[in-house]
Amino acid sequence: MEVIYRSTETLKKLEDNPRTISEGQLQKLKESIQKNPDYFEARPIILSDRTGHLVIIAGNQRYDACVQLGIKEVPTVLIPNLTEEREREIIIRDNVSNGEWDMSRLFEWDCRKLMEWGIEGISFPELDDFPGGMEDTHNVLRNENYEAGAHIKYLAFEGYKIPITDVELEGLKQRAAEYLEENGVMIGFVNNLLGL
């Protein structure tokens, strides 16, 4: 399939896209597109023409980032003759994250760079976690303070990063499991936890 640069005005965003990102994540995506245009071209926006329009089925967030950056043409690939079911499959597969991080290898990277590049779901220690401070965040978990910093876990949301002990974490997991068993869904768990 050929990568073709198309005008953003000729493309139609996916209605009811099940994938969203935060404003902060969108900002990181914009920075990535600006810094790595070759990577963006190697990962073009995927289109379907099933409805008679060029509908974005993979890359809606990249499209938004480009529009906000004032980029008029974006790399695209058209997959013709898709059924609605195949479109849906591609939409989901494009957003599923397969595999897991090998933490022993990942922690050999510069923690600040990893966070800057958008890695999420991993608790990195803060410089404040190290009594003597740190000059360099590279290999931050492989220094003399390894035991002090590596095992600190956090409950993180909306800019808060709350230290949580293993006992507290296990208690929270247990409450969540009990709530799920009783209700069949996790909706309302936080209200229940807070006694609301």
Side-chain angles (χ1 to χ4, degrees):
M1 284 183 236
E2 184 183 1
V3 174
I4 299 173
Y5 274 77
R6 290 182 167 93
S7 167
T8 55
E9 294 178 359
T10 64
L11 309 180
K12 186 174 180 185
K13 286 186 61 176
L14 180 69
E15 291 182 17
D16 302 320
N17 185 6
R19 187 71 166 179
T20 62
I21 60 174
S22 69
E23 193 59 40
Q25 291 167 326
L26 183 61
Q27 186 59 38
K28 284 182 181 177
L29 182 56
K30 286 161 60 174
E31 290 170 9
S32 175
I33 288 170
Q34 287 178 309
K35 291 179 181 177
N36 305 290
D38 52 346
Y39 175 65
F40 180 40
E41 184 173 16
R43 247 186 116 221
I45 291 171
I46 299 174
L47 308 171
S48 170
D49 61 0
R50 179 182 60 82
T51 63
H53 299 282
L54 294 175
V55 178
I56 301 168
I57 58 171
N60 281 275
Q61 314 305 343
R62 283 172 276 156
Y63 170 85
D64 281 343
C66 287
V67 168
Q68 288 187 21
L69 288 168
I71 297 171
K72 301 296 185 193
E73 291 188 334
V74 293
T76 66
V77 168
L78 172 64
I79 304 178
N81 306 315
L82 289 174
T83 63
E84 186 174 0
E85 185 176 345
R86 283 277 329 277
E87 282 181 4
R88 287 174 171 259
E89 179 182 352
I90 291 167
I91 290 164
I92 297 303
R93 285 187 183 275
D94 183 59
N95 290 294
V96 170
S97 178
N98 293 315
E100 296 177 11
W101 294 111
D102 181 333
M103 301 305 283
S104 63
R105 293 182 179 171
L106 191 61
F107 284 144
E108 292 176 6
W109 295 51
D110 186 313
C111 295
R112 284 194 182 151
K113 286 288 184 193
L114 292 172
M115 290 186 282
E116 179 185 318
W117 294 336
I119 196 166
E120 294 180 349
I122 297 175
S123 292
F124 293 103
E126 300 288 342
L127 294 183
D128 296 341
D129 297 334
F130 298 92
M134 285 289 298
E135 295 276 326
D136 180 11
T137 58
H138 189 73
N139 292 333
V140 70
L141 296 182
R142 297 251 176 236
N143 62 57
E144 65 210 10
N145 294 310
Y146 178 83
E147 289 299 322
H151 303 296
I152 295 173
K153 293 182 176 73
Y154 297 95
L155 184 60
F157 59 93
E158 297 285 327
Y160 292 97
K161 191 170 180 185
I162 304 167
I164 186 169
T165 66
D166 287 336
V167 172
E168 292 169 330
L169 183 59
E170 286 307 312
L172 189 59
K173 287 183 192 175
Q174 180 63 34
R175 288 278 299 271
E178 291 168 1
Y179 185 87
L180 182 60
E181 188 171 324
E182 289 175 16
N183 299 284
V185 296
M186 291 306 294
I187 296 169
F189 171 66
V190 174
N191 278 342
N192 179 269
L193 195 63
L194 296 174
L196 300 176

